[in-house]
Amino acid sequence: MGLEKEKSDTSIIMDEDEFNRSIEPILSKKGKSYTAAPDRDPNDINAHLKVGFEDVIAEPISTHSFDRVWIGSHAVFELVKFIFYRLLTTLLAVPVAFVLGLVFGVLSCIHIWLVMPVIQSCMMLLPSVQVVWRSVTDMFITPLFHGMGKSLSSIHVKTTEN
């Protein structure tokens, strides 16, 4: 008689609320609390870049590769995407941030110290320009079009068929 090895599968069936209540005391005893990573895209500016493997490579139901090939290609895709993103951000993030900071700083300075004062000056002058424009219109353009209207209103066109 020897020891018999028996493989047994066990599972615990719990409601989600019961699971959360039962685990809270365990987590609170350790004293360490982990905070979630801050959202680096709170305005969802780059929502279009949230691309997964299934968004790029999809096999229809009628044609499937081997499961191991699918899993391996998925793993390679995610790994290469992760490594190249990290590599490129390591090399380019600081220089690009410097250039963009410089560009936006210059644009802000130009907007604050040049563009807005010119616009405000124009807005202050516009009421005077509006009065002058209305006078020019009333003196020249309105009589011209009234005269043309009276002259052209006396023209009658008759069509005859031959």
Side-chain angles (χ1 to χ4, degrees):
M1 294 195 128
L3 292 172
E4 298 180 66
K5 294 185 179 179
E6 182 178 1
K7 186 177 183 180
S8 64
D9 292 330
T10 59
S11 63
I12 299 173
I13 300 172
M14 290 181 138
D15 289 340
E16 190 173 331
D17 293 336
E18 185 178 332
F19 175 74
N20 289 338
R21 277 187 304 218
S22 65
I23 201 156
E24 282 178 10
I26 295 170
L27 293 175
S28 63
K29 287 179 185 176
K30 290 187 176 188
K32 295 181 182 178
S33 63
Y34 297 101
T35 58
D39 186 10
R40 294 185 182 180
D41 190 10
N43 297 329
D44 220 17
I45 294 172
N46 293 317
H48 60 284
L49 293 178
K50 295 176 183 171
V51 178
F53 179 72
E54 293 82 14
D55 298 328
V56 178
I57 300 174
E59 292 181 334
I61 294 173
S62 61
T63 55
H64 278 238
S65 62
F66 295 112
D67 286 340
R68 291 181 191 240
V69 171
W70 180 259
I71 292 168
S73 60
H74 187 216
V76 168
F77 175 84
E78 293 296 334
L79 181 67
V80 169
K81 184 176 87 167
F82 175 76
I83 289 173
F84 271 91
Y85 178 76
R86 290 288 173 104
L87 178 69
L88 290 174
T89 54
T90 302
L91 297 175
L92 299 175
V94 174
V96 170
F98 177 78
V99 169
L100 290 176
L102 187 67
V103 167
F104 285 112
V106 169
L107 288 176
S108 297
C109 181
I110 289 172
H111 184 76
I112 292 168
W113 293 102
L114 294 175
V115 174
M116 286 311 293
V118 168
I119 289 174
Q120 291 298 329
S121 300
C122 289
M123 295 302 281
M124 287 174 28
L125 292 175
L126 279 180
S128 305
V129 171
Q130 184 180 10
V131 170
V132 171
W133 181 254
R134 185 174 291 141
S135 299
V136 168
T137 304
D138 289 342
M139 287 189 323
F140 297 108
I141 297 175
T142 303
L144 174 70
F145 281 100
H146 276 293
M148 287 174 48
K150 286 185 179 184
S151 299
L152 297 175
S153 67
S154 63
I155 297 175
H156 296 289
V157 177
K158 289 185 181 180
T159 59
T160 59
E161 289 184 32
N162 291 335

